[in-house]
Amino acid sequence: MRRAVDDYGMIRPEDHIAVGISGGKDSLTLLAGLAELRRFYPVPFTLSAITVDMGFPGSDYTPIAEFCRMLDVEYRVVATDIAEVVFNVRKEQNPCSLCARMRRGVLHGTAKEMGCTSVALGHHFDDVVETFMLNLFFEGRLGCFSPVTYLSNRDLHLIRPLIYAKEKDVSYFARRAELPVMTSLCPKDKHTERENMKNLLSDLERKRPGLRHRIFHALTEGKIDGFHPTGRLPE
């Protein structure tokens, strides 16, 4: 994570970073890592955490709130009716896109209300490769999310400090650190095209070891969507 932050100049002096917390292993690992980095990183920054509560019955964020208290991180849970809108009102057959847009809107708006300058998201190495391949297969284009994105309409930077961390390492850390990982309550969890792509890449990796690394390297060599380490924020 430190290398990714340095390579892409993700943290600026006196940044106030909001970590988007879904309750999954990725976002909690990111929060734990940034909280530790805050202790010794030469560029001073402050840290908060935000959860967008989708409105699924049975959601309990108490363990995460306690974890944030232990880390001395301000934590805010924002109640929404996104699940009701997506699944019952709109009855979306492919709900992920609409759900993601609605969650992003709430997350970014809350970050601005809290005085944050950046939002950190828990996308890791495998997410990078899967997103690239999904764009290639389903949209016919070479593209991915960017390590750093500036939202001019919000005056916020989106940063992804875990892009060098493989999912298996994130899972290992989450278990060893006993992070308060929540089980997803979304009915579409594990039933998406992303999950299918994950399985396809796993099959291909068994036949061609190192495939994911070569795809990631191609992204960087092609300077696609900002995947080209410069050590500074994009203009």
Side-chain angles (χ1 to χ4, degrees), residues 41-159:
Y41 197 60
V43 178
F45 66 94
T46 55
L47 201 57
S48 297
I50 301 170
T51 290
V52 178
D53 182 355
M54 303 278 290
F56 290 114
S59 298
D60 179 13
Y61 300 101
T62 305
I64 296 177
E66 175 61 19
F67 181 60
C68 288
R69 188 193 65 78
M70 292 171 53
L71 296 176
D72 191 25
V73 170
E74 178 187 6
Y75 180 51
R76 184 177 298 188
V77 178
V78 185
T80 74
D81 58 357
I82 292 176
E84 173 69 16
V85 171
V86 171
F87 291 103
N88 297 330
V89 177
R90 294 282 296 268
K91 295 182 169 58
E92 293 282 328
Q93 294 301 308
N94 299 295
C96 297
S97 179
L98 175 61
C99 177
R101 289 199 303 273
M102 295 178 73
R103 282 187 289 115
R104 283 197 299 266
V106 175
L107 176 61
H108 299 166
T110 304
K112 287 300 293 183
E113 289 174 11
M114 297 174 69
C116 298
T117 57
S118 297
V119 173
L121 303 174
H123 297 113
H124 49 62
F125 175 90
D126 296 78
D127 289 326
V128 174
V129 175
E130 290 159 14
T131 300
F132 176 78
M133 295 299 289
L134 285 167
N135 286 332
L136 179 63
F137 275 44
F138 293 99
E139 298 183 24
R141 67 182 180 90
L142 301 178
C144 189
F145 51 74
S146 299
V148 177
T149 304
Y150 177 64
L151 304 179
S152 57
N153 61 328
R154 295 280 194 178
D155 190 26
L156 277 174
H157 284 93
L158 303 185
I159 62 174

